[in-house]
Amino acid sequence: MELGPYLLFASLEGLVHAAVLSLIALGLSLVFGVMRIVNVAHGEFFMLGAIITWWVSSFVSGNPAIGFLLALLVVPIIVGMTAVLSDWLILRHLKYDPEATIIATIGILYIIQQFALMTFGPDAKPVEQPFNIRLDLYWFGFSAYKFFVIFSAIILLLAIWLVMSKTKFGLILRATQLDSETAQAFGIPISRVYNIVFGLGAAIAAVGAILIVPIQQAHYLMGGEPLLLAFIVVIIGGLGSLKGTVAAAILIGMSDGIISVFFSPNIAKILATLLVVVVLIIKPNGLFGTTKT
Amino acid sequence: MDILNDELLYTENLSKNFQGITAVDKVNFKINKNEIRALIGPNGAGKTTFVSLLCGRIRASKGKVFFNGSDISNLPVYKRISSGIGYTFQITAIFSNLTVYENVALSIKNRRDKEKRSIIFEVLNKVGLLDRVSQRSGDLSYGHQRLLELAMGMAQRPKLLILDEPTQGLSDLEIENFKKLIKDFSKTMTVLLIEHNMDVVMSIADKITVLHFGKIISEGDKHSIQSDPLVQKAYLGDQC
Amino acid sequence: MRKDIILHLSALLILFLLEILGIFSEYHQGNFARILVLAAYGVGYNILFGYTGLLSLGHALFFSAGLYASGLSIYHLDYNIEQSLFLGICISALISLIIGFLALRTIGVSFMIVTLMFSQIAYLSILYFGSITRGDEGFVIQQSSRVFLSMDLSNPKIRYYSALLIFSLCMLINLWIAKSPFGRVLVAIRENSDRALMLGYNVKLYKLFSIIISGTISGLAGACYGILFGYVGASFAAVSYSIFPLLWVLIGGAGTVLGPLIGAIFMFYLIDYASDITDAYMIIVGVALLFVTLFARRGIIGELRFRYYKWIS
Ligand SMILES: Nc1ncnc2c1ncn2[C@@H]1O[C@H](COP(=O)(O)OP(=O)(O)OP(=O)(O)O)[C@@H](O)[C@H]1O
Ligand SMILES: [Mg+2]
């Protein structure tokens, strides 16, 4: 292949990455924005979503699209409920103290990850694509499903944006994000909101997982890398800002995809992480910096 | 005596903006040696912000601070403190897991052990916490915690001691005791006192500065302040 | 004061007697040699987390800096033990200085994330430069290179004493810091850094010193680990090796001198036991982390100190 088409190919791959990454990062950013906590277990909710998608679709024989639709229906709920439960059983009792919460979510990370290992074993699990159409793009063929992933992510992001800006629920979230004490004084049930947001953040990541797993396979260790990238995105994109998160996800996802294709995945991650360091040096109080321990 | 030599700290057009709000607005302020100065003003007037600019806890947007004859505007906090400014927080800020002794010890630097110990015992004796030296400071009563802060400020032996609402939440008896202590302090140091309790202000301050919306609206002894219509208006606000 | 020093010296004495009286089985002797070096790593971590109150999620970077600096210099450059140890210490000190300088521009949660990121860069770089580091697989330091003053460091007895020596050194440094005015200031910064600043301490500089001491001790432990046990691999640079010292310190008691040792012994045997039962033994780490944050914030020694023995350092 010549350079031009090759670059196009790499960009398309990057866009698929970016689409899924923006969902994962958005979940992380939502939780950080509203609850002011860093959820280190976020990547494991993603992983859980992927593995349960495999599990659900393994029940359905015949057309893989049925399994996929079933997964879209139940997986976000299962993963969301897992998160709701961990908030209710654990984080709530820590009063969301930043340090204790980080340590506890690391604990949750290991428990979910090792639970997946125990229950589903160490092997990577393939999930069939719901439809198998190859589009001929003149220089190369490209899976139609990958376009579907990009498209679905855009739809979902738009939906989230609408909910955040146009509904009463969105207003409650924004009010809590701005000033939780005042919000509470106005009768917003903060602990319920937190509970829901934590579940929602995980569920969004799970949707990302459902979309990616027919391309990538499910594995119990798959949560680490997206977590790192999501951190990078949230730091670069600006806290709790939906637009910033999406923009940064596209930047990071695309460059990760392109650099991975041309050079090596490790170099892509090293560069992205270095970018964060640069951002933090230029803007030390950016993002997380404004919250104190 | 040389008049110039008498001033300990002064500011030139000191200003601070927080996104949109001008909390301190071109303040020219001067305080002389061994004075007790009260800084008063309604809630949100900018008092805490102003003194934070003096000690460097907040960076000024504009203007200069001179202390003891030299420009300290660009010095970091720790250097300003070591040059002789002491500061106690509006909210209680002690090291609650450390003992009373350790708290005071932390405020004394660059001295030999023996000397240090004698200063600690001296200041604790003065504020009446000597019998609590080895108690965990978090276990002290609120009033005692505020006294501990005073002791810490005093042990620093600053040239200028800034106290941000030290009597807040104290009982009348504790306030009486506190007034005596400040009087005593002022023999060896200059005191800049932010205070809402007018009784305290009127009975111990040599001079009073009134801040309103980040500006000095009046300055003088207690009689001139009490009779200043601008001050009355600031305090009564829109009601009149 | 007296009691305190006696307590810590007797802990070291017990560790010495266990060996010299032959109480250890070979199995436990090997385990304890590892635990002692890891506990030294924990001591390093504790200086920053327990005393200064800075939670790093990236200490594996410092541990592996020492590990790789000394390991690679033996493997590629035929350095002897003294030279490689010295290099390991210097490199980890230098890296702590640089990382400290950069990471301290942030506070609170961002500090935790930034340290995690730095450590991740190191981990990924080790994998990327696989031709030098041998990547995931790692490399073995030959027994013939592990000789110090004509003592064979792979000999279990000598290895145990060396490990004990290193741990004792780190622990005594920790004890000395805890009792020094410098240590008091670190604790003051942990308790209320704003107040410490307003007492005229150059808080940033103290934090930087704390990172350098912490990182260098961690690097020393890393260098010794490679030399004593003869293996250097990327897994030591992975996230879990940043979480382990946090966990040891939390279990044993943050800001206590013996805490890291107690925590390391406890977790080592717990994981050892769990790994006989299941492949998913790391679940123990998760459960332990939740347990300490929910029910035992002070850790074992911390609780003892809080309830009964206020004099423990
Ligand atoms: N960090 C900050 N960011 C934004 N605005 C601030 C900040 N600190 C203070 N302000 C604003 O600056 C103004 C002055 O506040 P300041 O705390 O100095 O008042 P004060 O006179 O000390 O009041 P009080 O008597 O209640 O202590 C207020 O309007 C306050 O809301
Ligand atoms: Mg104030």
Side-chain angles (χ1 to χ4, degrees), chain A residues 20-21 24-25 28 42-44 46-47 216 221-233 269:
Chain A
V20 175
L21 183 57
I24 303 172
L28 191 70
H42 193 65
E44 305 312 307
F46 170 78
M47 178 276 292
Q216 213 194 9
L221 287 177
M222 75 192 291
E225 190 183 304
L227 177 73
L228 179 72
L229 287 176
F231 273 147
I232 295 172
V233 165
K269 260 135 227 123

Side-chain angles (χ1 to χ4, degrees), chain C residues 37-79:
Chain C
V37 181
L38 292 175
Y41 176 26
V43 166
Y45 188 83
N46 197 20
I47 303 265
L48 189 65
F49 173 61
Y51 288 91
T52 322
L54 290 171
L55 198 164
S56 148
L57 292 179
H59 255 52
L61 167 60
F62 304 127
F63 186 77
S64 53
L67 179 76
Y68 273 93
S70 71
L72 288 174
S73 65
I74 296 173
Y75 188 70
H76 289 297
L77 309 171
D78 280 327
Y79 275 30

Side-chain angles (χ1 to χ4, degrees), chain B residues 18-19 21-23 41-50 58 90 164-165 194 196 211:
Chain B
F18 293 115
Q19 312 87 344
I21 316 167
T22 307
N43 283 356
K47 306 179 293 293
T48 299
T49 310
F50 175 69
I58 298 177
Q90 183 165 358
D164 198 349
E165 299 199 26
I194 298 181
H196 274 301
L211 213 59

